[in-house]
Short mmCIF file of all heavy atoms in Angstrom, two decimals:
data_model
loop_
_atom_site.label_atom_id
_atom_site.label_comp_id
_atom_site.label_asym_id
_atom_site.label_seq_id
_atom_site.Cartn_x
_atom_site.Cartn_y
_atom_site.Cartn_z
N GLY A 1234 190.14 103.61 123.45
CA GLY A 1234 190.57 104.94 123.89
C GLY A 1234 190.31 105.99 122.83
O GLY A 1234 189.82 107.09 123.12
N THR A 1235 190.60 105.63 121.59
CA THR A 1235 190.41 106.58 120.50
C THR A 1235 188.94 106.90 120.31
O THR A 1235 188.57 108.06 120.09
CB THR A 1235 191.00 106.02 119.20
OG1 THR A 1235 192.35 105.64 119.44
CG2 THR A 1235 190.96 107.04 118.09
N GLU A 1236 188.09 105.87 120.37
CA GLU A 1236 186.66 106.12 120.19
C GLU A 1236 186.14 107.05 121.28
O GLU A 1236 185.34 107.95 121.02
CB GLU A 1236 185.87 104.80 120.24
CG GLU A 1236 186.10 103.89 119.06
CD GLU A 1236 185.61 104.46 117.74
OE1 GLU A 1236 184.76 105.37 117.76
OE2 GLU A 1236 186.08 104.00 116.69
N ASN A 1237 186.60 106.87 122.51
CA ASN A 1237 186.18 107.74 123.59
C ASN A 1237 186.65 109.18 123.36
O ASN A 1237 185.92 110.14 123.57
CB ASN A 1237 186.71 107.20 124.93
CG ASN A 1237 185.93 107.74 126.10
OD1 ASN A 1237 184.72 107.91 126.03
ND2 ASN A 1237 186.62 108.05 127.18
N ARG A 1238 187.89 109.31 122.91
CA ARG A 1238 188.42 110.64 122.64
C ARG A 1238 187.64 111.32 121.52
O ARG A 1238 187.37 112.53 121.58
CB ARG A 1238 189.89 110.56 122.22
CG ARG A 1238 190.85 110.30 123.34
CD ARG A 1238 192.22 110.00 122.76
NE ARG A 1238 193.05 109.26 123.67
CZ ARG A 1238 193.92 109.81 124.51
NH1 ARG A 1238 194.06 111.10 124.56
NH2 ARG A 1238 194.64 109.05 125.30
N ILE A 1239 187.27 110.53 120.51
CA ILE A 1239 186.50 111.11 119.41
C ILE A 1239 185.16 111.61 119.93
O ILE A 1239 184.70 112.72 119.59
CB ILE A 1239 186.29 110.07 118.29
CG1 ILE A 1239 187.60 109.78 117.58
CG2 ILE A 1239 185.25 110.55 117.29
CD1 ILE A 1239 187.54 108.65 116.60
N LEU A 1240 184.55 110.81 120.79
CA LEU A 1240 183.26 111.20 121.37
C LEU A 1240 183.37 112.53 122.11
O LEU A 1240 182.57 113.45 121.91
CB LEU A 1240 182.80 110.09 122.33
CG LEU A 1240 181.54 110.38 123.13
CD1 LEU A 1240 180.34 110.42 122.21
CD2 LEU A 1240 181.35 109.32 124.20
N ARG A 1241 184.39 112.65 122.96
CA ARG A 1241 184.54 113.88 123.75
C ARG A 1241 184.91 115.06 122.87
O ARG A 1241 184.44 116.18 123.10
CB ARG A 1241 185.61 113.69 124.85
CG ARG A 1241 185.39 112.48 125.73
CD ARG A 1241 184.05 112.46 126.39
NE ARG A 1241 183.85 111.27 127.19
CZ ARG A 1241 182.69 110.87 127.69
NH1 ARG A 1241 181.61 111.58 127.47
NH2 ARG A 1241 182.62 109.78 128.42
N SER A 1242 185.77 114.81 121.86
CA SER A 1242 186.13 115.91 120.96
C SER A 1242 184.92 116.41 120.21
O SER A 1242 184.75 117.61 119.99
CB SER A 1242 187.16 115.44 119.92
OG SER A 1242 188.39 115.20 120.52
N ARG A 1243 184.07 115.47 119.84
CA ARG A 1243 182.86 115.85 119.11
C ARG A 1243 181.96 116.70 119.98
O ARG A 1243 181.43 117.73 119.54
CB ARG A 1243 182.13 114.58 118.67
CG ARG A 1243 181.03 114.85 117.67
CD ARG A 1243 180.41 113.57 117.22
NE ARG A 1243 179.72 112.89 118.28
CZ ARG A 1243 179.48 111.59 118.32
NH1 ARG A 1243 179.91 110.81 117.36
NH2 ARG A 1243 178.83 111.06 119.32
N GLU A 1244 181.81 116.30 121.26
CA GLU A 1244 180.99 117.08 122.18
C GLU A 1244 181.57 118.48 122.35
O GLU A 1244 180.85 119.47 122.38
CB GLU A 1244 180.91 116.38 123.54
CG GLU A 1244 180.02 115.14 123.54
CD GLU A 1244 180.16 114.33 124.83
OE1 GLU A 1244 180.86 114.79 125.75
OE2 GLU A 1244 179.57 113.24 124.89
N GLU A 1245 182.89 118.55 122.45
CA GLU A 1245 183.52 119.85 122.64
C GLU A 1245 183.36 120.72 121.41
O GLU A 1245 183.17 121.94 121.52
CB GLU A 1245 185.01 119.67 122.96
CG GLU A 1245 185.26 119.59 124.42
CD GLU A 1245 186.67 119.89 124.84
OE1 GLU A 1245 187.38 120.62 124.12
OE2 GLU A 1245 187.06 119.38 125.89
N TYR A 1246 183.46 120.12 120.24
CA TYR A 1246 183.29 120.91 119.02
C TYR A 1246 181.88 121.45 118.95
O TYR A 1246 181.66 122.62 118.63
CB TYR A 1246 183.60 120.09 117.76
CG TYR A 1246 183.27 120.86 116.51
CD1 TYR A 1246 184.07 121.93 116.12
CD2 TYR A 1246 182.14 120.58 115.75
CE1 TYR A 1246 183.76 122.68 115.01
CE2 TYR A 1246 181.82 121.33 114.64
CZ TYR A 1246 182.62 122.38 114.27
OH TYR A 1246 182.31 123.12 113.17
N ASN A 1247 180.91 120.58 119.26
CA ASN A 1247 179.52 121.03 119.21
C ASN A 1247 179.27 122.16 120.19
O ASN A 1247 178.52 123.10 119.90
CB ASN A 1247 178.57 119.86 119.50
CG ASN A 1247 178.42 118.95 118.30
OD1 ASN A 1247 178.78 119.32 117.19
ND2 ASN A 1247 177.90 117.76 118.52
N GLN A 1248 179.89 122.08 121.35
CA GLN A 1248 179.74 123.14 122.35
C GLN A 1248 180.30 124.45 121.80
O GLN A 1248 179.66 125.50 121.90
CB GLN A 1248 180.50 122.71 123.61
CG GLN A 1248 180.75 123.79 124.61
CD GLN A 1248 179.63 123.94 125.58
OE1 GLN A 1248 178.64 123.23 125.48
NE2 GLN A 1248 179.74 124.87 126.50
N ALA A 1249 181.50 124.38 121.20
CA ALA A 1249 182.11 125.59 120.66
C ALA A 1249 181.27 126.13 119.49
O ALA A 1249 181.08 127.35 119.37
CB ALA A 1249 183.54 125.30 120.19
N ALA A 1250 180.76 125.23 118.66
CA ALA A 1250 179.94 125.66 117.53
C ALA A 1250 178.65 126.30 118.02
O ALA A 1250 178.18 127.30 117.46
CB ALA A 1250 179.61 124.46 116.63
#
Side-chain angles (χ1 to χ4, degrees):
Chain A
T1235 307
E1236 291 295 340
N1237 200 38
R1238 284 170 202 266
I1239 290 172
L1240 174 68
R1241 307 304 178 193
S1242 290
R1243 192 177 66 204
E1244 286 169 6
E1245 269 200 26
Y1246 173 72
N1247 283 345
Q1248 166 88 359

